[in-house]
Amino acid sequence: MIGIIYVGSINRCPYLKNYTSCLDELSIDYEIISWDRSASTQNESVEFTAKKHHIFNYPSKEQRNPIYKISDFYRFSRYAKKIIRKQKYEKLIVLTTMSGVVILKELRTRYKNNFIFDYRDASFEYFGPFKSILNKIVVNSSFTSISSKGFLQVLPKNMNYVMAHNCSSFETCIDNNKIKNSKVVVGYIGGLRETDYMKSLVDRFGNDDRFEFIIHGGGENLQELIDYSEGISNVVFTGEYQELQKSKLVKEFDLICYNYPNSFVNDLALANKFYDGLLFRKPLIGNNSTYSGKLIEKQSVGISLDFEDKEYKKKLYNYYINYDAQSFEESCDKLLAEIQSENYFYKKKIKEFFVNGN
């Protein structure tokens, strides 16, 4: 029996499928231990065939100060450890850093070299004690899967890392029937978490006849952003969307906005938007001082700029008007082939771990 640990709702863990699909294919039983931090019923439309799903129902707001969340994580730690000791899983899958932090003792003893650590986000690695704990999780894992090679800048050197892209489908979409707009449609899609950043985008593109700025996504600050953009005709907030709608929404973009502001979290990560650009054949707008922005430029799949550049919009507009669509699509094909190869190796390593062990 395999145990899968995740300190959150499985609805927000799409990469869970990377492991459950392999387990299902190999006919290996598994259980999931997760934490519904909103203390509501988790969406059982998420497909998996776990023998049992242990859900820790305890409210803990994401925006709460990390200091005050320590007691919440301690409660989940006790819950998870109790189940792990009772069920005596043969091996573990540890999804995200905090899932490993709360069961660190078990990972260094009973499950040493007998778990996969799935690392998805940088968070508090600049804090010495936290980084020390992270290093211990990596060192004791059978291997660590990473969703961005940028993370290698903060992870321990010379460990066993496997690239795990946030991309499960490689079905590309080239919409040759898209009607050319009189304006360049810049599209943002995803959760609206950073209010100041979104307002800066509204300020940047608002009331410029060359652009139309469309934002698909929800969040606690959605109404505030709608109010902020009131009266600006070329800026539209559409609100939350269902994942099945994403393809249709992205098709209407000319460029995908992926110029996240600099932060410890953003600088090294590689978001789903990067893959959306490749699959839907939409050039990406990146931040030239982040890992993703440099990758966009290196792979010729968009343009990366300094957001404070006084000629930002001029350079962006000229890029779109003059870019070579055929050359861009060839760059997308080349990069997607590399990604697909790395994902194949990732799945191979998962299966080898389940079947052969260390």
Side-chain angles (χ1 to χ4, degrees), residues 150-208:
F151 294 145
L152 295 175
Q153 297 178 38
V154 297
L155 291 170
K157 307 296 183 186
N158 303 317
M159 291 291 106
N160 189 8
Y161 298 110
V162 177
M163 189 63 195
H165 292 278
N166 287 313
C167 182
S168 57
S169 171
F170 292 90
E171 183 177 347
T172 58
C173 176
I174 303 175
D175 190 3
N176 294 321
N177 297 317
K178 185 179 184 299
I179 299 174
K180 193 73 174 180
N181 297 293
S182 57
K183 298 182 178 182
V184 179
V185 179
V186 177
Y188 178 96
I189 189 162
L192 310 180
R193 297 184 180 89
E194 300 182 53
T195 307
D196 291 340
Y197 165 60
M198 295 308 302
K199 287 181 178 180
S200 70
L201 291 174
V202 171
D203 294 339
R204 179 70 49 151
F205 293 110
N207 296 318
D208 188 317

Side-chain angles (χ1 to χ4, degrees), residues 207-219:
N207 296 318
D208 188 317
D209 293 337
R210 295 172 295 181
F211 299 96
E212 182 175 5
F213 184 42
I214 300 178
I215 307 94
H216 301 299

